[in-house]
Amino acid sequence: MQMSGGQTGAAWMGAWIVMMVAMMTPALVPGLVRYRRCVPARGVAGRGGLTALVGAGYFFVWTLVGGAAYLLGVAIAGAELVWPALTRFVPLLSGVALLLAGCVQLTPWKRRHLARCRACAPPPAADAWNAGRHGLRLGINCALCCAGFMTVLLVTGMMNLVTIVVVAAAITVERLAPAPARTARAFGAAILVVGAVATIRGLGP
């Protein structure tokens, strides 16, 4: 993927936003339903509008994440142009990144953010300001919780449909599984296996 040029950047961000909406909506829906049920009554239209603001805040965070990922890609592509020898280390670095992503899945840090994603309580005040803040909080918690999965997505190919489906399913299962910590560790172990294979291949001639 070309990582330079204004139009290319806009196209990349457009693809990122569409992909995030498709991937993260199943994981977000339980939080939106919980918010709609718990927010003080303001009529159907009022609740619907506030719930939409929660979703907007959530996806705004993911848009910022996409912008950061694009800038990182531009920096890596620029470094490869300046130092062409770096290109041959990309497979090894990709494997190492996957190993780190798998390790993140096994940490208390991951379990803490996963618990916050599953139990993020709606704000008591039913107004636009608090709805937006609630959406931002959901988005930040979710982005931190999904750091390992997003690394897998970016390393293995953002436009790979199989990867997108697998990552989206894994994120949703983590949110809904009765044993979330155990589920996160299982996914972490799977990522470590993939990372180990990729690292070994990267070390090859």
Side-chain angles (χ1 to χ4, degrees):
M1 181 184 300
Q2 186 181 3
M3 297 294 289
S4 61
Q7 290 185 336
T8 302
W12 196 93
M13 285 301 301
W16 172 270
I17 292 170
V18 171
M19 181 183 66
M20 282 298 104
V21 171
M23 285 182 59
M24 304 309 297
T25 296
L28 174 62
V29 165
L32 293 180
V33 171
R34 188 164 55 246
Y35 176 87
R36 188 179 177 89
R37 286 176 178 172
C38 297
V39 71
R42 289 186 55 175
V44 175
R47 283 183 174 178
L50 293 175
T51 303
L53 283 175
V54 173
Y58 175 89
F59 285 114
F60 175 74
V61 172
W62 277 112
T63 300
L64 295 181
V65 172
Y70 176 76
L71 292 177
L72 176 62
V74 169
I76 293 173
E80 290 178 349
L81 289 175
V82 176
W83 299 289
L86 287 177
T87 303
R88 68 187 185 95
F89 292 105
V90 170
L92 175 60
L93 294 175
S94 297
V96 171
L98 290 172
L99 289 174
L100 291 175
C103 289
V104 167
Q105 286 288 118
L106 306 178
T107 61
W109 183 87
K110 163 69 179 190
R111 293 194 294 273
R112 183 167 62 252
H113 284 291
L114 181 56
R116 289 176 180 173
C117 284
R118 290 169 62 100
C120 192
D127 56 56
W129 171 253
N130 280 286
R133 288 182 59 191
H134 184 63
L136 292 174
R137 186 166 67 250
L138 281 175
I140 292 170
N141 283 338
C142 188
L144 293 173
C145 181
C146 295
F149 289 129
M150 289 302 109
T151 299
V152 173
L153 182 66
L154 292 171
V155 167
T156 59
M158 195 187 85
M159 296 303 175
N160 187 317
L161 182 58
V162 174
T163 301
I164 293 172
V165 172
V166 170
V167 171
I171 292 171
T172 303
V173 169
E174 269 195 350
R175 296 296 193 280
L176 303 178
R182 187 183 307 167
T183 303
R185 289 195 296 269
F187 286 135
I191 295 171
L192 284 173
V193 171
V194 175
V197 172
T199 302
I200 292 171
R201 288 180 177 176
L203 290 171

